[in-house]
Amino acid sequence: MSSYGSIDKKGERGPAQSPDGLPLIWKKSNDEKQNASNDDKEGGQYNIFHYLVYALINAIIAVPGLYGYASVIFNHPVFQPHMAKLSKLVVASSLVHQLGFALFSSLNFAIGTVQDAGLIFLSAMSNSIAQSILDEGGTDEEVISTTLVILPLGTAVLGLVLMLLGKFKLLDIVSYLPMPVIGGYLAFIGYFCLEAGVALCIGKPMTELSDWRYLLDPHSLLLATPGLLSAALLTIISRKADNDAILPITMVAIPATFYAVLLIFGISLDEAREDGWVGEEVPPVPVQDLFHLVDFKLVHWNLVSKCVGTWVGMVFVVSFASCLDIAAISMDMGEALDTNQEMVTVGTSNLMSGLLFGFTGSYIFSQTIFTYRTGCHSRYVGVFIMAAYAAVCVSTINILEIAPLFFLGATLIFIGYDLLWEWLIDIRSKIFFMEYMILITTFVAIQIIGMDFGIIFGVIVALIEHIASTTRVSSMGRVLKRSRAVWSSDDSAALQTHGYNADNPKIVTLELKGPVFFGSSQKLLQDITDEIGLAISEEDVKRIAMASPHTSTPLSRLKAQKVNSPRSTKSTRRKNQPYGKIKCRPHFVVLDFTLMHGLDASAATSCFLQLAKMCEKRGVVICACGAMPRVEWMLRTHGVAYDYDEEIEVKNAMLSDQDNNLRHGKLILFLTIFEALEFSERLLIQRVTFKVPRERHACLQTALSTMSTGSPHHQLTYIFLSVLQGDLSEEEKVVVDGVQSHYEEATFQPGDTIFQKNTHPDAFYVVVSGAVAVPKDRKGSSSMIHSGAGAVKGKESLSSSNLLGVFDEDGEHKSVESFHKVGGIVGYCDFLLERYRTFDAVAAPNVGARVAVFTRANMEKMKNENRPLYVIVQKLLLRASLMDLANCTCHN
């Protein structure tokens, strides 16, 4: 009878496995697969006898559980004299659900009834209604009429909500309820079913923890023991049996064994009834009596508002449970199902059920999969199940007065065992410890403060734990990156010696990930200051700078103590890592915000503004790049970064060597990490060499301009030489001069498309002048910002100043991800791998681009006619690949 929360025979949710490792489903040969759809619709080779048999098996499994569900929903004492009628109403509601699935489900074999996910909510509402009316001096008839109007009304509206969620594909809303909280609720359903099953066995209501004292009575314990043992047997069979028919056979055998024992020992049914083994005799309940249960004149409509909070919780839990039922069915079938469409079906069946005075229901995972595995994929099975439900409703025989109560209780206890085992025991190995603690907390909270407040309490605990865990985990990591600038040999050597020295790098890049908010800002600030050595005193900095490898300093002695300590194993291992914490402060720190998706006002001031002030006092220039528009706006608004125009002036002053102290208490923002690194590298070269560095903007453009004044080499020779950092002999330079016949030159105006994503890679490009821009290709980076005063307009920013003539799917301009300037090689990776382009490339705004185009045909011609030149070009592409790989953090 289990639906959401059911477990397969291996003890885990998911498809059972056949010996070949594939899902255990009804397999067809290749020839049969062509007509699978038609066979499924017509039921294949199965006839009416098969339909009857499988329908009867499903009815045998379902009907006892439905009577148990009725005892859960209507567990208040005021309902007990009317349980025969109310139980039939639950069966009739299941008939309506099955009709809905037979008419609207995409699955011919779908089975749906009243199910367990909404039971506790329905029970809570019925108890609240009953207690409120009785406290006001109302009658039993008022309680029943009000309950049988408000509960179906809630079911109908629930169905309408589910239909809208599926129709407009809004099921992601359901995922906002944490899984451990849902797990705690489902564990409570298991406990509630266990408690209700025991209450059904002993014939006494059990609604409080103190009611378990009834089992201290020997007679009550005797009545409950067969139910507890029978449920244990059903649980073991459901998990261990290889044949799906064993469970329904056992469910028939249990009451049959009871009757056999009565017959053997000569005990009459009336004597068994007197001892409490079967229910009390009540007058027959004709089906027409169900239509007289509600008197609208007696309905207390004012109690609708009292049930709204519980109903909202029911919407979340039932929709969440239905989503997982659909996913479990899809997994077992090995075929994809349209979850939104199936949710519309669930909503439709609930709407029908509610309008006909029924209760919440959904797919029954276990019975749907059972029917699927039989291969009898016909809606006739569902029709015959409806006929069985109708027979139960029409019959004047009261199952409660002939069936052993311990058997009906066992069906509920069986569900309780199943849910408790999965959500308190099995789940431990599938979630983290703190998630399990949230689950247990929710389970206990529901017991103590009630279902609604217990779930809310669980959600609050989950949120607190999420914030606490986020603050504990560092969102910062140090990465090794360099700019794409190609410097002269002397300047490159200076950068290698000083800027990127393995022991004391003067340029450090830190990559930040995820959102940074008030809860994580202090941890992040501490991590950054530790990483770049801001916590080291000025005296220690001087000693470290002056010390030789054999000089003892306070820091070296402290490190020596750590290495020699018994707990130094982990520290010793760090020596083999590519890089650890730096020994001395860097001169430049680049913060990569590309993966930082959010920043609040608290973190902007308490973390980054404080960091900028600390760096200012210690002479460290701090740059930031890749910020999303909203992050950039937050930094500039709170004075953490300069205004856009002022920032341009500061950059120009620093690059022109007009600002000697370089002490600025703000972040300097850049669009891309390569621009930030190039800026830092140039300033470092100025500091080290006391001259303006000859980077490619200068040296390459100068070299290319001399072509008209009698240069001995071809223009691409200077580009190749710069990219390869002088790794060309004079003979090879002469070879490169012959490249002119192996490429085509193309000029693009600003914003022109050079190539598009998902197109055939027929060439790669070398930038000769201007620059090539690569647009951003990521969602969630809209430039529209909304402050407390409304939409922010007219603010100049890096993103708004670097818009391209390329539009995304929403018709908005794309901004720049990165630039390839003179000497840059674009599109070579897709070219070499012969895969479709993975990005767009356009001529940079304002400057355009002139590129050398190396087509596949020209490269093949070069390979055949000028092998030495072809080898040099391959060396060039290898060098470019290594530089890009060095700047990739995916392998860090």
Side-chain angles (χ1 to χ4, degrees):
M1 235 355 248
S2 57
S3 55
Y4 176 69
S6 59
I7 306 178
D8 64 11
K9 295 166 188 174
K10 303 293 184 183
E12 298 178 356
R13 173 175 285 276
Q17 298 293 314
S18 59
D20 58 358
L22 297 176
L24 184 58
I25 61 176
W26 181 41
K27 297 183 179 179
K28 305 184 181 84
S29 65
N30 292 332
D31 294 335
E32 289 175 325
K33 287 181 180 179
Q34 297 177 355
N35 300 317
S37 178
N38 293 333
D39 287 346
D40 289 349
K41 292 180 180 179
E42 301 299 330
Q45 59 184 345
Y46 294 92
N47 54 39
I48 192 169
F49 174 76
H50 295 93
Y51 305 150
L52 282 171
V53 170
Y54 294 128
L56 181 62
I57 292 174
N58 277 293
I60 290 172
I61 295 173
V63 171
L66 294 176
Y67 272 79
Y69 286 169
S71 69
V72 172
I73 298 171
F74 304 104
N75 66 340
H76 194 280
V78 73
F79 298 113
Q80 300 313 305
H82 310 279
M83 281 307 300
K85 296 178 182 179
L86 297 174
S87 298
K88 284 193 174 183
L89 192 60
V90 174
V91 176
S93 176
S94 296
L95 187 156
V96 176
H97 278 293
Q98 184 58 55
L99 175 63
F101 286 108
L103 291 176
F104 302 108
S105 176
S106 64
L107 305 176
N108 296 336
F109 47 87
I111 307 296
T113 67
V114 174
Q115 51 108 267
D116 50 14
L119 285 183
I120 309 302
F121 293 98
L122 295 174
S123 176
M125 287 190 283
S126 68
N127 276 278
S128 176
I129 292 168
Q131 198 60 48
S132 296
I133 293 177
L134 293 177
D135 289 345
E136 296 174 0
T139 63
D140 291 4
E141 289 73 17
E142 292 178 63
V143 172
I144 292 175
S145 295
T146 304
T147 302
L148 294 185
V149 167
I150 293 181
L151 265 62
L153 178 63
T155 298
V157 179
L158 165 70
L160 186 61
V161 170
L162 296 183
M163 291 174 66
L164 293 175
L165 289 176
K167 179 68 175 177
F168 295 102
K169 305 184 187 307
L170 300 175
L171 289 175
D172 286 344
I173 296 175
V174 179
S175 64
Y176 285 105
L177 200 59
M179 192 277 283
V181 176
I182 293 290
Y185 166 75
L186 291 170
F188 180 73
I189 288 182
Y191 167 78
F192 201 85
C193 288
L194 172 63
E195 186 179 58
V198 173
L200 192 57
C201 291
I202 65 177
K204 297 178 181 178
M206 295 178 61
T207 58
E208 305 288 341
L209 284 171
S210 59
D211 291 336
W212 287 96
R213 70 181 186 278
Y214 292 141
L215 295 186
L216 298 177
D217 176 53
H219 183 67
S220 295
L221 181 60
L222 178 64
L223 293 174
T225 299
L228 294 169
L229 295 178
S230 298
L233 177 63
L234 294 175
T235 302
I236 293 172
I237 290 174
S238 69
R239 292 172 175 273
K240 302 297 183 182
D242 295 326
N243 193 320
D244 290 324
I246 296 179
L247 182 61
I249 290 173
T250 305
M251 296 186 72
V252 172
I254 290 174
T257 302
F258 171 76
Y259 295 127
V261 171
L262 294 184
L263 181 62
I264 293 172
F265 290 95
I267 302 174
S268 67
L269 197 59
D270 290 334
E271 291 174 323
R273 182 174 293 110
E274 291 178 2
D275 286 339
W277 293 103
V278 293
E280 297 292 333
E281 284 186 311
V282 295
V285 181
V287 68
Q288 57 268 25
D289 285 3
L290 300 182
F291 299 98
H292 301 296
L293 284 171
V294 177
D295 183 350
F296 286 97
K297 296 179 181 178
L298 302 178
V299 175
H300 290 232
W301 294 102
N302 62 303
L303 294 178
V304 171
S305 59
K306 191 173 183 178
C307 298
V308 170
T310 304
W311 176 84
V312 171
M314 184 170 70
V315 170
F316 273 94
V317 172
V318 170
S319 53
F320 191 95
S322 296
C323 284
L324 292 187
D325 276 336
I326 294 167
I329 293 170
S330 174
M331 187 186 302
D332 202 288
M333 290 172 57
E335 299 177 13
L337 292 178
D338 186 342
T339 302
N340 289 291
Q341 182 58 43
E342 297 304 325
M343 189 59 72
V344 172
T345 300
V346 174
T348 303
S349 73
N350 278 278
L351 179 61
M352 294 168 57
S353 175
L355 293 176
L356 295 173
F357 299 95
F359 312 102
T360 59
S362 183
Y363 282 102
I364 304 301
F365 164 74
S366 55
Q367 291 181 253
T368 299
I369 290 304
F370 164 74
T371 307
Y372 172 76
R373 290 178 179 178
T374 64
C376 190
H377 300 176
S378 172
R379 299 187 191 272
Y380 286 117
V381 175
V383 172
F384 286 125
I385 291 175
M386 287 188 285
Y389 292 158
V392 174
C393 294
V394 172
S395 173
T396 57
I397 300 175
N398 182 11
I399 292 181
L400 292 173
E401 66 183 34
I402 62 171
L405 292 178
F406 77 82
F407 168 66
L408 298 177
T411 60
L412 277 177
I413 298 171
F414 163 46
I415 296 171
Y417 283 164
D418 201 45
L419 291 173
L420 287 170
W421 180 266
E422 177 169 6
W423 291 104
L424 293 183
I425 307 300
D426 261 3
I427 196 67
R428 293 180 302 168
S429 59
K430 302 175 184 177
I431 59 178
F432 293 116
F433 175 77
M434 287 308 300
E435 289 181 310
Y436 184 69
M437 289 296 100
I438 294 171
L439 189 152
I440 295 296
T441 300
T442 305
F443 175 71
V444 175
I446 293 175
Q447 299 274 8
I448 298 174
I449 60 178
M451 182 177 56
D452 296 341
F453 290 106
I455 291 177
I456 293 173
F457 183 78
V459 171
I460 293 173
V461 172
L463 290 174
I464 293 174
E465 193 280 329
H466 172 71
I467 294 174
S469 62
T470 303
T471 60
R472 289 194 301 267
V473 178
S474 175
S475 57
M476 182 275 298
R478 185 171 158 210
V479 295
L480 298 179
K481 289 190 175 184
R482 296 191 181 194
S483 75
R484 286 176 173 154
V486 182
W487 306 99
S488 65
S489 300
D490 293 341
D491 293 340
S492 296
L495 281 177
Q496 183 62 39
T497 303
H498 301 282
Y500 300 108
N501 183 279
D503 293 326
N504 291 301
K506 297 299 184 291
I507 301 175
V508 172
T509 303
L510 303 179
E511 186 177 72
L512 278 63
K513 299 180 180 179
V516 179
F517 61 105
F518 63 93
S520 61
S521 59
Q522 291 304 306
K523 175 66 165 61
L524 179 60
L525 178 62
Q526 183 64 45
D527 289 343
I528 294 176
T529 55
D530 287 347
E531 184 66 37
I532 62 178
L534 292 184
I536 303 175
S537 66
E538 294 293 337
E539 183 180 351
D540 286 339
V541 171
K542 294 178 181 179
R543 289 183 181 180
I544 294 172
M546 298 295 294
S548 72
H550 306 287
T551 303
S552 175
T553 67
L555 185 63
S556 65
R557 288 194 295 269
L558 179 61
K559 295 178 69 174
Q561 292 174 6
K562 291 183 177 180
V563 170
N564 295 326
S565 67
R567 301 176 61 185
S568 63
T569 306
K570 184 176 180 180
S571 301
T572 304
R573 284 199 301 266
R574 290 185 178 179
K575 292 182 178 180
N576 297 323
Q577 294 179 350
Y579 52 87
K581 291 184 180 179
I582 61 177
K583 298 179 181 179
C584 194
R585 292 192 205 110
H587 291 179
F588 301 90
V589 175
V590 177
L591 302 178
D592 186 358
F593 289 166
T594 305
L595 299 179
M596 192 178 78
H597 307 307
L599 176 71
D600 65 9
S602 299
T605 54
S606 65
C607 179
F608 295 109
L609 183 58
Q610 187 174 348
L611 175 65
K613 298 299 183 183
M614 294 172 67
C615 289
E616 178 189 20
K617 292 180 179 180
R618 292 161 176 79
V620 178
V621 177
I622 184 163
C623 306
C625 60
M628 295 176 61
R630 59 185 297 113
V631 174
E632 180 183 348
W633 176 84
M634 182 65 69
L635 293 172
R636 296 191 192 277
T637 301
H638 287 272
V640 183
Y642 297 98
D643 289 336
Y644 182 77
D645 293 334
E646 183 184 4
E647 186 174 71
I648 294 177
E649 295 177 1
V650 171
K651 290 178 181 177
N652 291 334
M654 297 175 71
L655 290 174
S656 62
D657 204 21
Q658 297 175 5
D659 189 346
N660 295 322
N661 57 29
L662 300 179
R663 291 180 180 270
H664 302 278
K666 294 184 180 182
L667 302 184
I668 304 175
L669 300 185
F670 294 86
L671 185 66
T672 70
I673 188 170
F674 301 110
E675 290 179 302
L677 286 170
E678 186 172 331
F679 179 83
S680 302
E681 290 172 357
R682 180 164 184 167
L683 290 179
L684 180 65
I685 293 173
Q686 289 180 201
R687 285 189 181 187
V688 173
T689 63
F690 302 101
K691 65 179 182 179
V692 177
R694 300 180 66 244
E695 44 88 30
R696 61 183 169 195
H697 300 297
C699 68
L700 290 183
Q701 294 286 14
T702 301
L704 296 180
S705 64
T706 61
M707 296 298 300
S708 59
T709 60
S711 170
H713 297 296
H714 188 270
Q715 57 180 347
L716 285 186
T717 304
Y718 292 98
I719 293 178
F720 284 21
L721 181 64
S722 298
V723 174
L724 294 174
Q725 295 187 352
D727 190 19
L728 283 178
S729 63
E730 288 300 323
E731 293 78 7
E732 289 175 322
K733 292 178 184 178
V734 174
V735 172
V736 174
D737 289 337
V739 74
Q740 185 172 4
S741 61
H742 297 286
Y743 77 91
E744 303 163 6
E745 192 169 284
T747 301
F748 297 89
Q749 297 302 315
D752 286 353
T753 300
I754 298 175
F755 59 77
Q756 291 182 319
K757 184 178 179 179
N758 295 324
T759 57
H760 183 68
D762 56 347
F764 67 89
Y765 306 81
V766 179
V767 182
V768 177
S769 66
V772 173
V774 177
K776 288 183 179 179
D777 188 21
R778 64 182 183 185
K779 297 294 182 182
S781 57
S782 174
S783 58
M784 180 57 69
I785 302 167
H786 294 274
S787 69
V792 178
K793 298 179 180 179
K795 286 283 188 179
E796 192 77 5
S797 66
L798 291 171
S799 300
S800 63
S801 302
N802 289 276
L803 296 179
L804 302 171
V806 180
F807 298 89
D808 59 19
E809 297 174 355
D810 299 324
E812 295 185 0
H813 284 279
K814 288 186 176 181
S815 57
V816 177
E817 179 78 29
S818 63
F819 286 108
H820 293 266
K821 300 180 182 178
V822 178
I825 305 174
V826 188
Y828 66 91
C829 188
D830 296 329
F831 174 82
L832 294 175
L833 296 176
E834 298 186 18
R835 67 184 182 189
Y836 284 109
R837 300 286 188 192
T838 54
F839 59 92
D840 298 310
V842 300
N846 304 323
V847 296
R850 184 162 60 93
V851 296
V853 184
F854 289 84
T855 64
R856 199 173 298 278
N858 287 337
M859 289 297 295
E860 192 65 28
K861 177 183 176 183
M862 183 191 303
K863 181 179 180 181
N864 295 328
E865 296 180 358
N866 194 337
R867 190 75 177 186
L869 176 61
Y870 181 79
V871 171
I872 294 174
V873 174
Q874 293 298 316
K875 184 189 296 186
L876 181 79
L877 297 181
L878 177 60
R879 174 73 180 180
S881 300
L882 291 175
M883 291 301 296
D884 281 348
L885 181 61
N887 284 325
C888 175
T889 59
C890 57
H891 55 275
N892 287 336

